[in-house]
Amino acid sequence: MKRTKASPRWQRRSGHSGNSLKHPIANTILLSLPERERNIVFAKCQFVELPKHLLVHEMGAPIKFCYFIDDGLASILSVMASGKSVEVGLLGREGFLGLPITAGFTTSPTRAIMQVGGHGLRISAADLKDCLPNCPALEVALKRFSQTLTLQATQVAACNRVHEVDQRLSRWLLMSLDRLDGADVPLTQDSLASMLGTRRASVTVAAGILQKAGLITYRRGELKIDDRLGLEKAACECYQTLRRQNEKWSLEAEKT
């Protein structure tokens, strides 16, 4: 999903935290809400740090809190019985963690972790359920985001089956770039291998191909995008498929 032009950050005093400081808010779901609904939601929210590798939700565990991501990068992982995992969803400031709560469920079928640290607004599952009947725009926005994640999961499943690792790595880096400020992606090859559901050695080879082509620069734990247009050409069709569909949905949403 290509990130839209940055919206003006909206500032609000934090809720339950008791902190009187003002925090800049960039989550696009919250920014899209009418002021009345924003006030309802913010009265129940707490501005929190989301450090790298934070386990936000565990598969099968009750969801106690939901999160509007403000910056950073979160991964949704499908975890096998062996302990191996593969990424089925990626989100940043356009996103929300805790969608099962909006459908009346209490547990998560996947694991959610922070791949790149950031911040967010936390709301208890109980408070979110109380807010939704009084916030129709929020309910619609969360339903739409649910469709965005479903689209990602289905496209990535196909991508992992039919495309080469260097193409998949290019697609993943572009998706990350759309959600982060700057051109740096602070992830190790081990993390990238887990995200792509492949071996570390395969990621090493794939990163080497992209670096040799002048598209990225990779050093230990730090990857920089040097040529975005070249990376788009190197990526499989899945990135453009996701981008086009999300742009189409955005236009449809603007008309309603």
Side-chain angles (χ1 to χ4, degrees):
M1 175 180 173
K2 186 177 180 180
R3 198 169 70 199
T4 56
K5 292 182 180 179
S7 302
R9 284 174 172 254
W10 189 77
Q11 293 191 337
R12 170 76 182 191
R13 294 183 186 275
S14 53
H16 289 337
S17 64
N19 191 338
S20 62
L21 296 176
K22 289 185 177 181
H23 301 291
I25 304 304
N27 181 272
T28 57
I29 293 175
L30 294 176
L31 289 174
S32 72
L33 300 180
E35 184 175 0
R36 183 189 69 82
E37 293 194 20
R38 280 202 302 259
N39 289 335
I40 291 173
V41 174
F42 268 87
K44 302 292 185 179
C45 281
Q46 179 183 6
F47 191 82
V48 294
E49 290 191 13
L50 300 171
K52 184 176 180 179
H53 296 152
L54 174 70
L55 176 62
V56 182
H57 295 146
E58 182 57 282
M59 183 179 70
I63 298 173
K64 296 181 180 179
F65 294 97
C66 304
Y67 298 81
F68 295 93
I69 304 299
D70 212 47
D71 54 40
L73 202 61
S75 285
I76 309 296
L77 305 174
S78 180
V79 184
M80 303 294 106
S82 64
K84 292 183 178 180
S85 61
V86 63
E87 185 179 81
V88 294
L90 183 69
L91 58 136
R93 66 187 66 183
E94 86 289 359
F96 171 83
L97 291 170
L99 283 172
I101 296 298
T102 68
F105 301 123
T106 60
T107 58
S108 174
T110 53
R111 176 182 294 162
I113 63 170
M114 295 299 297
Q115 285 293 346
V116 176
H119 302 83
L121 279 87
R122 184 177 72 182
I123 183 171
S124 73
D127 282 340
L128 180 69
K129 286 188 284 188
D130 287 343
C131 286
L132 285 176
N134 299 310
C135 297
L138 174 61
E139 187 173 16
V140 169
L142 293 178
K143 286 179 179 177
R144 287 173 173 167
F145 183 65
S146 170
Q147 288 301 302
T148 298
L149 281 188
T150 299
L151 171 65
Q152 260 196 58
T154 54
Q155 193 68 42
V156 167
C159 183
N160 287 344
R161 177 66 180 85
V162 302
H163 293 138
E164 299 297 330
V165 177
D166 58 304
Q167 295 177 307
R168 289 155 51 194
L169 177 58
S170 298
R171 182 260 303 161
W172 192 92
L173 291 174
L174 288 166
M175 291 174 66
S176 299
L177 203 58
D178 288 343
R179 293 163 171 83
L180 295 172
D181 293 322
D184 295 329
V185 182
L187 289 177
T188 65
Q189 290 190 3
D190 285 333
S191 296
L192 289 170
S194 177
M195 296 306 95
L196 297 174
T198 190
R199 297 179 299 117
R200 185 184 187 279
S202 298
V203 172
T204 300
V205 172
I209 291 172
L210 299 181
Q211 182 160 261
K212 187 175 181 180
L215 306 181
I216 67 171
T217 300
Y218 183 79
R219 297 182 179 87
R220 185 180 298 273
E222 192 72 34
L223 193 153
K224 182 181 179 182
I225 311 300
D226 297 318
D227 183 355
R228 180 186 174 114
L229 291 179
L231 200 62
E232 289 187 13
K233 293 178 181 178
C236 56
E237 65 193 85
C238 296
Y239 174 72
Q240 293 297 342
T241 297
L242 290 168
R243 180 173 169 175
R244 284 193 300 269
Q245 184 60 55
N246 279 300
E247 288 176 347
K248 181 179 179 180
W249 278 343
S250 293
L251 290 174
E252 291 178 6
E254 289 175 3
K255 295 177 181 179
T256 58

